[in-house]
Amino acid sequence: MRSPRVVLDNLAKQTTREDYKFQRLYRNLYNMEFYLIAYARIYSKEGNMAKGVDGQTIDGMSLERIEKLIEKIKDFSYQPKPSKRVYIPKKNGDKRPLGIPSFEDKLIQEVVRMILASIYEKKFSEMSHGFRPERSCHTALAQVKDRFSGAKWFIEGDIKGFFDNIDHHTFIGILKRKIDDEHFINLIWKFLRAGYLEDWQFYKTYSGTPQGGIISPILSNIYLNELDSFMKVYKSNFDKGKSRKRLKEYRTRESRLFRARAGYKEKWDKMSAEEKVEAQLHVKKLKEHMMEIPYKEPMDDNYKRIQYVRYADDFLIGVIGSKEDCRKIKRDITLFLENELKIELSQEKTLITHSKNRARFLGYDVKISHDNLTTKFTASGHKQRTRTMCCELLLPHEVWRNKLIEYKALKIDSNTKKWKSAHRAHLLQNDDLEILSIYNAEIRGLYNYYRLANDVHKLSDFKYIMEYSMYKTFASKYKTSVKKIINKYNINGHFGVRYETAKGKKVSFFFDDGLKKQEHISKEEKIDSIPSGRNIIYNRTSLIDRLLADKCEWCGKTNQPLEIHHVKKLKDLKGKKRWEKRMIERNRKTMALCKECHLNLHNGKLD
């Protein structure tokens, strides 16, 4: 069998050829190496310990399981199992459906995902940011900030129930443009039509992506790449003119300023000190008068621009043009989605917003600054406006308020509407370090996501309430006052918790990293859950080496078929049994065991 590295590289090389169709993809699913790589990529996710409809989890993973799966692929008897549907609570009190596929289905889906990513990734638009290597919500927001300057209007795109309404026949038609392999296409069909099980009743799926499927993100990007391509052509036809014409009134005021400067320059040496002061004040007043209005005509009909950015099924469009232009753009996108992709743009939720107001995108507020007064001096000494028509990313007030309510760290008096920090009863059973770590993680998590916002410093109010909620939680735990808690945990003026490690005593302090705005996003940042980098795709992990070693890590027997024992979290192990202590000591959530040892472990007979 060929190395997955070679296979995927060859696929990626051919993808730039417009007329090329990929054949014989299905045979790659006979390759054991692909499954080992897939296993290494997904084994660490906690969701793998959730049972699918077959009652199986990732626990007990073995080469034998993979071999049986490959045999089913070879004789075409493989049939994905329906996802087990469960419901998880949403912030608004409703419940969101979640699909849990069987682990074997996840494994095959990851192999298929790698193949599809090699074929399509290079063809995806630079305006697409969701579920892609080295792209994230932050790269989408940074692109909005960089490219939407000067926009007059925003169009906030909202597709009705996108992931549930992808048309299967349309999607397969898109795949067939690049893929000429009926067996591979039929496998995709099987995933799309696998259905789901709710309360032990089977429901067919006639549209949408696989419930909870690993391949759902790549399938959605392949589908909506059609919209990206449409918007690229639309932009080339919409954009008009090289630049806005200069505003007449600005030129008039500029001329007055230049004439005044020239006149004063001619007679400067003959002027008295008082006259010079008056002249300087006059020039300053003319300069300020000129800076009160834009340099260029904001309503120039001969200059139009459109910008588009998408993250998964959310997209934002910035328009330099009229409101009627925006209405037409919305109508054209609506017709394209309905006619070409068989999905619906929500007319009520797809808003047309003036850029001086706030549009919502990926949890941020987006607006265009109309500030003509903020200036700075250039290196040559000239005054320059710094914020006129610049795109700004802002922190919505309700975001951090709702987080405080969600965390139960805030109480709002129903009469006075005053805010007050509150202790969190559900944390009282945790140890000191855990309580501090939870608060730090929650503060840092919100800051990390909103650190691109111009006003991210407003999170200082969020941090303050969280801080006093933490003090009150400690005070409630130890039946004492907040003041005594602050004094007790004071370490050189900072709140800290001391704890023991194998390497000695350490201290963990309350979050004090600052709340500064971040200007740029580096490629190394991992905001989304999709791993990036070729080493993660191709290189074996120590887990795979241990699986292939044919040596039980408990009894030491060699030349034995192994099964990998998995636990969800190390902290769930109590450390009372020897095998638990060994996993804790090695800081591993896995252990390679022979079949006999693995069976004994589950029967409580390993120690």
Side-chain angles (χ1 to χ4, degrees), residues 375-541:
T375 59
K376 70 174 182 179
F377 286 98
T378 63
S380 59
H382 295 291
K383 190 181 283 189
Q384 185 181 60
R385 282 178 285 205
T386 56
R387 295 182 62 191
T388 303
M389 302 305 286
C390 287
C391 185
E392 295 182 337
L393 303 176
L394 302 170
L395 168 69
H397 171 76
E398 66 270 20
V399 164
W400 59 269
R401 181 201 63 197
N402 292 344
K403 275 294 179 188
L404 289 169
I405 295 171
E406 179 190 337
Y407 293 151
K408 298 181 180 176
L410 172 70
K411 284 183 179 177
I412 302 177
D413 190 287
S414 56
N415 297 318
T416 63
K417 303 300 180 185
K418 285 187 176 180
W419 291 18
K420 190 177 181 181
S421 59
H423 81 278
R424 298 163 73 181
H426 63 282
L427 297 181
L428 297 181
Q429 301 304 315
N430 294 5
D431 64 39
D432 291 358
L433 182 60
E434 284 179 320
I435 294 172
L436 176 62
S437 298
I438 288 168
Y439 276 93
N440 281 345
E442 290 166 346
I443 295 169
R444 186 174 288 108
L446 198 62
Y447 165 66
N448 281 345
Y449 188 74
Y450 284 99
R451 66 187 185 272
L452 296 183
N454 286 36
D455 55 352
V456 68
H457 61 273
K458 289 182 179 178
L459 283 179
S460 58
D461 292 334
F462 170 78
K463 178 191 166 188
Y464 175 81
I465 292 171
M466 289 288 279
E467 182 177 358
Y468 273 83
S469 169
M470 180 186 68
Y471 295 155
K472 288 182 178 181
T473 300
F474 273 95
S476 181
K477 178 179 179 178
Y478 291 108
K479 307 280 192 294
T480 185
S481 67
V482 166
K483 185 176 180 180
K484 288 180 179 178
I485 286 294
I486 293 172
N487 290 334
K488 177 182 176 181
Y489 291 90
N490 186 304
I491 301 174
N492 299 324
H494 299 280
F495 186 94
V497 171
R498 292 184 172 90
Y499 62 99
E500 296 277 350
T501 70
K503 296 181 179 179
K505 293 182 179 180
K506 290 191 176 182
V507 179
S508 180
F509 289 101
F510 179 69
F511 179 89
D512 194 27
D513 297 344
L515 298 168
K516 293 182 180 179
K517 173 191 171 187
Q518 183 172 328
E519 295 289 347
H520 303 289
I521 296 297
S522 65
K523 287 186 176 181
E524 288 73 29
E525 293 185 27
K526 296 178 181 177
I527 308 301
D528 286 351
S529 59
I530 298 294
S532 62
R534 304 179 74 80
N535 59 320
I536 297 176
I537 295 177
Y538 299 128
N539 289 352
R540 280 183 176 171
T541 65

Side-chain angles (χ1 to χ4, degrees), residues 240-244 296 302-303 305:
K240 180 181 177 183
K242 290 186 177 180
S243 65
R244 289 189 178 103
K296 293 188 175 181
N302 294 314
Y303 181 79
R305 289 290 185 274

Side-chain angles (χ1 to χ4, degrees), residues 216-261:
S216 290
I218 186 78
L219 298 188
S220 66
N221 272 335
I222 293 170
Y223 203 73
L224 283 181
N225 189 57
E226 301 297 303
L227 174 62
D228 301 340
S229 301
F230 171 77
M231 290 305 301
K232 183 178 180 181
V233 174
Y234 200 96
K235 174 177 172 60
S236 66
N237 294 326
F238 182 89
D239 288 0
K240 180 181 177 183
K242 290 186 177 180
S243 65
R244 289 189 178 103
K245 64 183 178 183
R246 289 183 64 186
L247 191 65
K248 273 189 178 181
E249 179 59 24
Y250 186 91
R251 286 200 288 184
T252 301
R253 296 185 185 189
E254 187 181 47
S255 297
R256 287 182 197 148
L257 175 63
F258 287 167
R259 286 197 301 271
R261 279 176 173 166

Side-chain angles (χ1 to χ4, degrees), residues 4 7-8 11 25-39 41-42 66 69-70 73 104-119 184 187-188 191 214-215 218 537:
V7 173
L8 297 178
L11 293 177
L25 296 176
Y26 191 79
R27 63 177 183 170
N28 291 305
L29 278 80
Y30 307 160
N31 189 337
M32 171 74 76
E33 285 287 331
F34 267 106
Y35 294 89
L36 293 176
I37 292 169
Y39 174 48
R41 287 176 65 92
I42 66 177
I66 296 176
L69 208 51
I70 292 174
I73 289 290
E104 273 78 5
D105 292 341
K106 288 181 184 178
L107 204 60
I108 293 183
Q109 284 189 28
E110 175 59 20
V111 176
V112 172
R113 189 207 64 78
M114 287 191 285
I115 293 170
L116 289 175
S118 293
I119 294 172
F184 190 81
L187 180 61
I188 301 293
F191 285 129
I214 287 174
I215 58 169
I218 186 78
I537 295 177

Side-chain angles (χ1 to χ4, degrees), residues 130-359:
F131 314 115
R132 295 183 61 195
E134 297 181 358
R135 289 173 179 261
S136 64
C137 292
H138 280 183
T139 61
L141 290 159
Q143 195 171 75
V144 166
K145 183 180 178 183
D146 291 343
R147 302 195 181 190
F148 279 46
S149 292
K152 187 77 173 174
W153 302 93
F154 295 122
I155 303 173
E156 305 170 51
D158 187 280
I159 300 172
K160 279 188 179 179
F162 169 70
F163 287 96
D164 293 328
N165 290 308
I166 286 179
D167 184 80
H168 291 170
H169 290 280
T170 301
F171 177 70
I172 293 298
I174 293 169
L175 282 183
K176 284 185 175 181
R177 293 181 206 160
K178 294 290 290 180
I179 298 172
D180 182 17
D181 183 339
E182 282 303 315
H183 295 318
F184 190 81
I185 294 292
N186 286 337
L187 180 61
I188 301 293
W189 263 120
K190 287 182 178 181
F191 285 129
L192 295 174
R193 292 291 176 86
Y196 63 92
L197 211 62
E198 183 176 353
D199 294 330
W200 298 106
Q201 185 172 347
F202 175 73
Y203 295 88
K204 291 182 179 180
T205 45
Y206 298 101
S207 63
T209 55
Q211 285 275 323
I214 287 174
I215 58 169
S216 290
I218 186 78
L219 298 188
S220 66
N221 272 335
I222 293 170
Y223 203 73
L224 283 181
N225 189 57
E226 301 297 303
L227 174 62
D228 301 340
S229 301
F230 171 77
M231 290 305 301
K232 183 178 180 181
V233 174
Y234 200 96
K235 174 177 172 60
S236 66
N237 294 326
F238 182 89
D239 288 0
K240 180 181 177 183
K242 290 186 177 180
S243 65
R244 289 189 178 103
K245 64 183 178 183
R246 289 183 64 186
L247 191 65
K248 273 189 178 181
E249 179 59 24
Y250 186 91
R251 286 200 288 184
T252 301
R253 296 185 185 189
E254 187 181 47
S255 297
R256 287 182 197 148
L257 175 63
F258 287 167
R259 286 197 301 271
R261 279 176 173 166
Y264 289 132
K265 188 176 181 180
E266 283 183 10
K267 55 184 181 180
W268 187 258
D269 294 337
K270 299 176 183 178
M271 293 169 66
S272 65
E274 284 186 7
E275 288 174 330
K276 287 181 179 181
V277 170
E278 286 182 10
Q280 288 173 332
L281 289 173
H282 183 226
V283 168
K284 183 179 179 181
K285 190 174 180 181
L286 288 174
K287 174 76 171 177
E288 289 173 350
H289 188 54
M290 181 187 74
M291 298 286 279
E292 286 174 357
I293 59 174
Y295 172 70
K296 293 188 175 181
E297 174 61 68
M299 300 301 292
D300 185 357
D301 292 334
N302 294 314
Y303 181 79
K304 292 182 179 181
R305 289 290 185 274
I306 187 172
Q307 294 290 352
Y308 159 88
V309 173
R310 180 177 68 82
Y311 183 94
D313 59 330
D314 290 330
F315 63 88
L316 186 68
I317 296 172
V319 180
I320 297 176
S322 65
K323 189 169 187 178
E324 185 52 44
D325 288 328
C326 295
R327 292 193 184 103
K328 185 177 185 303
I329 292 166
K330 182 177 174 179
R331 286 196 300 270
D332 292 341
I333 293 174
T334 298
L335 290 173
F336 172 80
L337 293 177
E338 288 179 356
N339 296 334
E340 301 298 325
L341 297 182
K342 305 297 186 293
I343 51 179
E344 188 178 351
L345 189 72
S346 171
Q347 300 303 305
E348 302 78 27
K349 295 182 180 179
T350 300
L351 306 176
I352 297 174
T353 309
H354 194 279
S355 64
K356 69 180 179 183
N357 300 317
R358 298 185 176 198

